[in-house]
Amino acid sequence: MKQEEALEQIRLIREMMQKASHRFLFSPWQWIEWGVLIIIGYLTTYWLQNHGQPNHIIILWACIFIIGSALESYIWMAAARRRGIEPFNAFIVKLWAVAFAIMTMSIILSFIFIDLRQALYIPGLWLMTMGVVMVTFFILAERKDLLLFGATQMVGGILAVSFLLKHSMLVGAVFFGIGALIHGIYSLLKMKHL
């Protein structure tokens, strides 16, 4: 194969990967779904705290995580089927493997914070973790829209574990819940104009 042909093949592969990552990495509905679930979770947590039922908060957030993950998977698979894209291509699998590796430490630390009765640190921990995941996706998948969202999450995480620690749930609801909702609506509108 001549050098020009090899370079052209590399360019075409790179262009295909960029298009696949841009069009399929996230559906706007995934952002909206997580935003709504996080806001509902915050409001329910606030209600449980004010009615003397803090023991149910861990169960609530476990349910939100399970429901959110199931909905996200369904939306992701439906979008892949609709677009004719292989949902488990090597590029997507690698991205999610990196994300899971980053989130593993936060899962472990969440249980440690619960055991130490320091659960107020968990929203900040997860905001920073999701910020790192989004910035990693920006770097690996060249998704510029994820850089702003990721940076916003990291700022929210720092605020939630510092002087806004007593309001960390609210910070999480605003930065991740409302942030994801806004990002999803923006992505949906942007997609309709393409």
Side-chain angles (χ1 to χ4, degrees):
M1 182 182 284
K2 294 181 182 176
Q3 184 176 3
E4 295 84 24
E5 289 176 7
L7 290 173
E8 179 64 17
Q9 290 295 323
I10 291 170
R11 187 189 66 75
L12 289 172
I13 292 169
R14 181 178 170 93
E15 186 177 296
M16 182 180 70
M17 293 295 281
Q18 286 174 337
K19 284 181 181 176
S21 69
H22 181 73
R23 290 182 61 220
F24 181 62
L25 190 56
F26 290 107
S27 164
W29 294 108
Q30 288 170 273
W31 293 102
I32 292 168
E33 167 256 316
W34 275 112
V36 168
L37 283 174
I38 295 299
I39 292 167
I40 290 170
Y42 166 73
L43 293 173
T44 308
T45 299
Y46 183 73
W47 186 87
L48 288 171
Q49 286 175 335
N50 287 335
H51 287 83
Q53 299 177 9
N55 296 337
H56 299 346
I57 293 173
I58 295 169
I59 296 168
L60 166 72
W61 285 99
C63 290
I64 286 174
F65 180 75
I66 291 166
I67 292 167
S69 297
L71 283 172
E72 181 174 15
S73 298
Y74 174 77
I75 293 168
W76 184 40
M77 296 298 280
R81 194 176 322 115
R82 191 172 48 253
R83 294 176 182 168
I85 298 171
E86 172 59 40
F88 299 108
N89 67 56
F91 177 72
I92 298 295
V93 170
K94 286 177 187 173
L95 282 176
W96 286 113
V98 169
F100 182 73
I102 294 168
M103 289 189 284
T104 300
M105 184 57 71
S106 294
I107 293 168
I108 293 166
L109 286 173
S110 294
F111 286 109
I112 292 170
F113 283 138
I114 290 167
D115 189 50
L116 295 173
R117 301 195 188 288
Q118 298 293 327
L120 285 176
Y121 287 98
I122 295 173
L125 168 70
W126 278 99
L127 282 170
M128 286 188 276
T129 300
M130 294 314 296
V132 170
V133 168
M134 293 303 128
V135 170
T136 302
F137 283 176
F138 158 73
I139 292 167
L140 296 176
E142 300 182 22
R143 290 284 307 267
K144 293 180 179 109
D145 58 324
L146 297 180
L147 179 61
L148 177 61
F149 187 77
T152 304
Q153 299 312 296
M154 285 192 268
V155 168
I158 292 167
L159 292 173
V161 296
S162 59
F163 66 92
L164 292 177
L165 181 62
K166 291 188 184 214
H167 306 288
S168 64
M169 284 297 299
L170 179 59
V171 173
V174 169
F175 278 84
F176 194 81
I178 295 174
L181 198 57
I182 290 169
H183 187 79
I185 292 168
Y186 168 76
S187 298
L188 196 59
L189 293 173
K190 185 177 163 187
M191 207 168 83
K192 288 186 178 187
H193 289 312
L194 291 178

